[in-house]
Amino acid sequence: MNNEQKMRSGNEAEVLSESDIIQGDVLESILFHVPLIHLVPVSHVSKSWNRAVFSSLRHSNKPKPWLIVHCQSSRPPHATADAFAYDPRSNLWLRINPNPPLEYVSDLRSSGSTLLYMLSISKFSFSFDPLHMTWHQTDPPLVWRTDPVVALVGRRHIVVAGGACDFEDDPLSVEIYDLETRKWEICEPLPAIFKHSAASTWLSVASNTKKLYAMDQASGITCCFDPIARIWSGPFDLRHDPNIYFSVIGNSRDNLIMVGLLGNSEHVEGIKIWELKGKLFEFSKEIGVVPTELVDKLKGEHACLNSIKIISTHDVLYLYNPEEPGELVVCEIDGRQGVFRWGSLKNAAVNDRRRLAERLVLTCADVGLGDLGNAMMSGKQSFSIVNDAIMR
């Protein structure tokens, strides 16, 4: 054994002996405060530390869904920039450095919680894993579209609806991309009630394992699509409060939720959240009201609030004003209590330069120790702490 091997062996023995000193509840209480990205190397110190890491994540400080803000230049050739991620378990903003940078072919867009996609005249690119390390490429839909509704339903179908160019015969056309057969199929078009709003600019979409839901943001009229049966159902009027002037939908624990702005854009009386259940959405329950001070934060520097966007997964919902994306409102939802925790968060991806030069696209996903370990081991992504997030 040469000197280098002896030194390495001695260092490993020293690490192992030190790891044996800190055990049990003491170790888990320390791990409670360690950021998730730092738990990756800690879990490899020894078998006992590995067990302690996973025990801590299961029982004490459990992982929570990450919010990821993707930055893209607003000018061709749509160059990529670093992404920013908020880890609520650690209450930290992180910078994600892709390696190599993603090659953009068009505007980056998101749908639901995890789907990212780009659509050009020659290619359709999409990714839906938590950290978007894997991108899939295929031919574009058969009908050329500029602003379609796009949604991942389950793990097999991507539905692309509406948004067709003026010269296309049917602005309501719908196509499905089957992830197993890797083929496009034309389906029953959007309901005629969406004739004047068949684009992602005007429709809010949500999806779960079985269906896609599309809501007209101005009227609240909603239809749902079953990609297995290839049929639409509805329309349904989900607005049980006549004071709603703008609404969007999302998903929480596989249930449909609706966020509505009340009053009018120049005088917002409030923002409420409903959970919608039943085959015909006949069971509607108000589960939360955004506190007045957080409504003011969403308005930002403007006196009015024209629209709102949401991103959600499981029990966490983020709300933001697309005209003022610097402030995010966060709420945690419990199946029995409704919304039980409110807060606001400064968007680390926003500053004066980015506000003018970059587009911001948001996703939300469960990011586990395995996801981070794979990203680090592959060399495709690196992570660094930007700052401590301040939840107010």
Side-chain angles (χ1 to χ4, degrees):
M1 181 181 291
N2 58 35
N3 290 335
E4 183 180 349
Q5 291 173 325
K6 290 179 180 179
M7 184 176 296
R8 186 183 299 115
S9 177
N11 288 339
E12 290 175 353
E14 183 179 349
V15 169
L16 290 174
S17 62
E18 289 178 356
S19 70
D20 289 337
I21 296 174
I22 308 175
Q23 295 290 336
D25 294 340
V26 175
L27 178 57
E28 286 200 27
S29 66
I30 294 173
L31 296 176
F32 181 94
H33 301 283
V34 178
L36 193 63
I37 58 167
H38 292 162
L39 288 179
V40 175
V42 170
S43 67
H44 294 286
V45 170
S46 68
K47 289 183 178 180
S48 61
W49 278 40
N50 181 276
R51 288 192 297 268
V53 166
F54 283 94
S55 176
S56 175
L57 293 176
R58 281 195 303 268
H59 303 297
S60 53
N61 195 357
K62 300 179 181 180
K64 295 181 179 180
W66 282 25
L67 174 72
I68 304 179
V69 184
H70 310 265
C71 305
Q72 181 192 31
S73 173
S74 58
R75 306 182 183 92
H78 305 291
T80 179
D82 299 338
F84 293 82
Y86 171 61
D87 172 13
R89 174 197 175 273
S90 310
N91 199 30
L92 293 173
W93 276 102
L94 309 168
R95 186 189 301 271
I96 304 177
N97 304 92
N99 182 34
L102 178 63
E103 180 182 350
Y104 287 100
V105 297
S106 63
D107 286 351
L108 182 68
R109 298 173 184 264
S110 66
S111 176
S113 58
T114 62
L115 179 64
L116 282 180
Y117 65 94
M118 293 176 285
L119 177 61
S120 72
I121 199 168
S122 61
K123 187 186 298 183
F124 178 54
S125 304
F126 59 92
S127 174
F128 50 81
D129 59 279
L131 293 171
H132 300 99
M133 292 176 56
T134 302
W135 279 83
H136 309 269
Q137 317 282 344
T138 188
D139 293 332
L142 303 174
V143 175
W144 171 234
R145 308 161 189 273
T146 56
D147 187 25
V149 165
V150 179
L152 175 68
V153 183
R155 288 292 175 176
R156 180 173 176 179
H157 300 108
I158 295 180
V159 181
V160 179
C165 294
D166 293 337
F167 58 79
E168 294 287 354
D169 293 334
D170 187 2
L172 300 174
S173 65
V174 175
E175 295 176 65
I176 293 179
Y177 182 74
D178 191 312
L179 294 168
E180 292 185 3
T181 64
R182 300 184 181 181
K183 292 181 180 180
W184 289 100
E185 180 181 343
I186 295 179
C187 303
E188 180 181 325
L190 281 160
I193 198 168
F194 290 144
K195 181 179 179 180
H196 300 294
S197 59
S200 66
T201 301
W202 314 114
L203 293 178
S204 174
V205 296
S207 61
N208 55 25
T209 56
K210 296 180 179 180
K211 292 184 179 181
L212 173 148
Y213 304 90
M215 168 186 275
D216 185 306
Q217 297 171 141
S219 68
I221 296 299
T222 301
C223 295
C224 60
F225 180 71
D226 184 334
I228 302 296
R230 304 292 203 264
I231 58 173
W232 288 89
S233 57
F236 309 99
D237 186 358
L238 303 189
R239 292 185 178 176
H240 301 286
D241 190 326
N243 290 323
I244 299 174
Y245 69 90
F246 183 91
S247 55
V248 290
I249 51 176
N251 223 4
S252 173
R253 293 170 284 105
D254 221 28
N255 291 323
L256 194 66
I257 58 171
M258 179 179 72
V259 178
L261 306 184
L262 284 73
N264 58 64
S265 60
E266 295 182 356
H267 180 66
V268 183
E269 296 175 2
I271 303 176
K272 293 184 178 181
I273 304 174
W274 289 266
E275 185 177 65
L276 307 166
K277 293 183 178 182
K279 188 175 182 180
L280 302 177
F281 307 108
E282 63 272 26
F283 303 110
S284 174
K285 180 176 70 172
E286 182 183 309
I287 60 173
V289 180
V290 180
T292 303
E293 61 271 20
L294 297 184
V295 175
D296 292 336
K297 287 182 180 293
L298 287 172
K299 291 180 183 178
E301 299 175 356
H302 301 284
C304 59
L305 185 60
N306 296 312
S307 65
I308 197 170
K309 287 191 175 184
I310 63 173
I311 185 79
S312 63
T313 185
H314 300 309
D315 300 328
V316 180
L317 173 68
Y318 294 91
L319 303 85
Y320 66 100
N321 178 355
E323 297 177 5
E324 291 282 344
E327 195 80 32
L328 300 158
V329 168
V330 189
C331 69
E332 295 185 37
I333 302 171
D334 179 85
R336 296 179 180 178
Q337 303 177 40
V339 176
F340 70 92
R341 182 170 180 253
W342 290 100
S344 67
L345 182 70
K346 285 290 185 183
N347 188 344
V350 173
N351 56 39
D352 291 338
R353 177 181 62 84
R354 284 198 170 90
R355 188 173 298 185
L356 297 174
E358 293 181 0
R359 300 176 64 253
L360 304 179
V361 180
L362 280 65
T363 58
C364 190
D366 290 316
V367 176
L369 213 59
D371 299 308
L372 291 172
N374 291 336
M376 295 175 183
M377 289 292 290
S378 69
K380 291 182 178 180
Q381 292 177 332
S382 60
F383 304 82
S384 57
I385 294 176
V386 177
N387 56 42
D388 291 337
I390 302 175
M391 278 283 289
R392 298 178 295 280

